Amino acid sequence: MFLMGESINGTRKQVGDAIQERDAEFIKALALEQVEAGAAVLDVNGGVAGGNEVDDLTWLIDTVMGVTDTRLMVDSASPQALDVGVRAVIDKGGKVPFINSISGEQPRIDAVLPLVEKYKCPVVGLCLSDAGIPPTAEDRFAVAKQLHDLCTDAGLPPADLWIDPLVLAVSADPCAAQVSMDTLKLIKERLPVRTTGGLSNVSFGLPNRPLLNRTFVAMCAGLGIDGVIVDVRNKQMMATVKSIEALRGEDNFCGAYLKAHRAGALE
């Protein structure tokens, strides 16, 4: 399971405050916590209300890269910030970062596809069109196919396109999780891309959200999802991930599962 750590996001109050106050120690600790918990990629989002996103994102990237060489995922709604952020990672000698994200919305295609073509960045693709989030799995798959064609035509290997089928809250739509899973199945069957998602939206508005989130991750894992965008510091979620890897044959002789058990990390 390819884990994308979601926690360094300026829209979260503590992180936003740290960015505004240039509290490097807080950000460094947050980065290292996620790496130690198993994150393969760290999402970095410098979007703070009233801030200068280009400057804030550059500072954030410099700070995180000062303590870890873990691959980054540059996350912004601003094309300018994305471009500056990607270049900042590359100029500091880091691995070409992920971009979060491209979608089937034409303005987003126009803004992000040139960056994908220029830097050959792995990219998260959202099943979102100009009309919004498509209501059916087939319509979401159509967006995924569009993104596959656009990105591969731009020279990106299909394995570097990570499609997010998008997840809505079951509290508002009882079929929301099923539509996302049906979309995931279609993508796995028909496209040579990889799949990921911020799956915690499924539990919005309901009690005991962590239980629903862990269950949904396991259900999507059964359909072959390749990764998740998640808070890797959540020990119960990580215990579920270790179990998934053992059951999917991705943990040789269950070594990582047994190591986590001995460390008390599966409780």
Side-chain angles (χ1 to χ4, degrees), residues 2 40-42 65 69-74 85-99 115-123 156-157 160:
F2 192 83
V41 168
L42 297 178
M65 292 185 70
D69 60 0
T70 300
R71 199 169 197 170
L72 301 186
M73 179 158 63
V74 181
V86 170
R87 282 192 284 110
V89 174
I90 294 172
D91 288 347
K92 285 182 66 68
K95 300 171 186 174
V96 175
F98 280 65
I99 287 178
L115 301 181
V116 172
E117 185 169 19
K118 178 179 180 181
Y119 297 112
K120 299 299 184 287
C121 288
V123 62
L156 189 73
D160 282 341

Side-chain angles (χ1 to χ4, degrees), residues 47-113:
V48 180
N52 182 319
E53 188 170 2
V54 170
D55 291 345
D56 291 342
L57 183 58
T58 302
W59 175 82
L60 202 57
I61 288 168
D62 288 344
T63 302
V64 173
M65 292 185 70
V67 292
T68 180
D69 60 0
T70 300
R71 199 169 197 170
L72 301 186
M73 179 158 63
V74 181
D75 183 358
S76 177
S78 162
Q80 181 189 9
L82 282 178
D83 193 3
V84 171
V86 170
R87 282 192 284 110
V89 174
I90 294 172
D91 288 347
K92 285 182 66 68
K95 300 171 186 174
V96 175
F98 280 65
I99 287 178
N100 190 6
S101 54
I102 193 170
S103 72
E105 300 165 291
Q106 194 59 51
R108 195 65 179 171
I109 292 170
D110 293 340
V112 178
L113 191 61

Side-chain angles (χ1 to χ4, degrees), residues 22-262:
R22 294 299 191 256
D23 184 351
E25 295 309 310
F26 178 89
I27 298 298
K28 289 176 182 179
L30 188 53
L32 290 175
E33 283 176 18
Q34 293 182 92
V35 172
E36 290 165 4
V41 168
L42 297 178
D43 186 89
V44 285
N45 183 318
V48 180
N52 182 319
E53 188 170 2
V54 170
D55 291 345
D56 291 342
L57 183 58
T58 302
W59 175 82
L60 202 57
I61 288 168
D62 288 344
T63 302
V64 173
M65 292 185 70
V67 292
T68 180
D69 60 0
T70 300
R71 199 169 197 170
L72 301 186
M73 179 158 63
V74 181
D75 183 358
S76 177
S78 162
Q80 181 189 9
L82 282 178
D83 193 3
V84 171
V86 170
R87 282 192 284 110
V89 174
I90 294 172
D91 288 347
K92 285 182 66 68
K95 300 171 186 174
V96 175
F98 280 65
I99 287 178
N100 190 6
S101 54
I102 193 170
S103 72
E105 300 165 291
Q106 194 59 51
R108 195 65 179 171
I109 292 170
D110 293 340
V112 178
L113 191 61
L115 301 181
V116 172
E117 185 169 19
K118 178 179 180 181
Y119 297 112
K120 299 299 184 287
C121 288
V123 62
V124 174
L126 307 180
C127 293
L128 179 66
S129 70
D130 286 322
I133 299 176
T136 70
E138 285 286 354
D139 288 341
R140 292 190 197 182
F141 173 78
V143 178
K145 178 65 164 61
Q146 175 194 17
L147 293 175
H148 165 268
D149 294 348
L150 288 170
C151 288
T152 54
D153 286 348
L156 189 73
D160 282 341
L161 174 59
W162 292 74
I163 297 291
D164 182 343
L166 293 182
V167 179
L168 301 177
V170 292
S171 59
D173 177 2
C175 297
Q178 190 61 55
V179 171
S180 297
M181 289 189 290
D182 289 345
T183 306
L184 175 60
K185 284 191 286 188
L186 292 176
I187 293 167
K188 295 297 294 184
E189 290 169 359
R190 302 178 185 177
L191 292 177
V193 301
R194 289 194 270 191
T195 49
T196 189
L199 304 185
S200 62
N201 286 344
V202 75
S203 64
F204 185 79
L206 292 172
N208 200 351
R209 292 187 65 187
L211 173 60
L212 289 166
N213 294 344
R214 295 194 304 273
T215 303
F216 189 47
V217 166
M219 294 170 74
C220 290
L223 298 173
I225 199 167
D226 299 287
V228 286
I229 303 169
V230 69
D231 184 356
V232 295
R233 299 171 300 161
N234 184 303
K235 293 182 179 179
Q236 290 179 314
M237 176 63 79
M238 291 304 293
T240 298
V241 168
K242 292 297 181 189
S243 302
I244 288 167
E245 291 171 342
L247 294 169
R248 293 206 306 189
E250 298 167 350
D251 179 7
N252 197 29
F253 293 104
C254 301
Y257 180 88
L258 292 170
K259 181 179 179 181
H261 169 72
R262 288 192 292 270

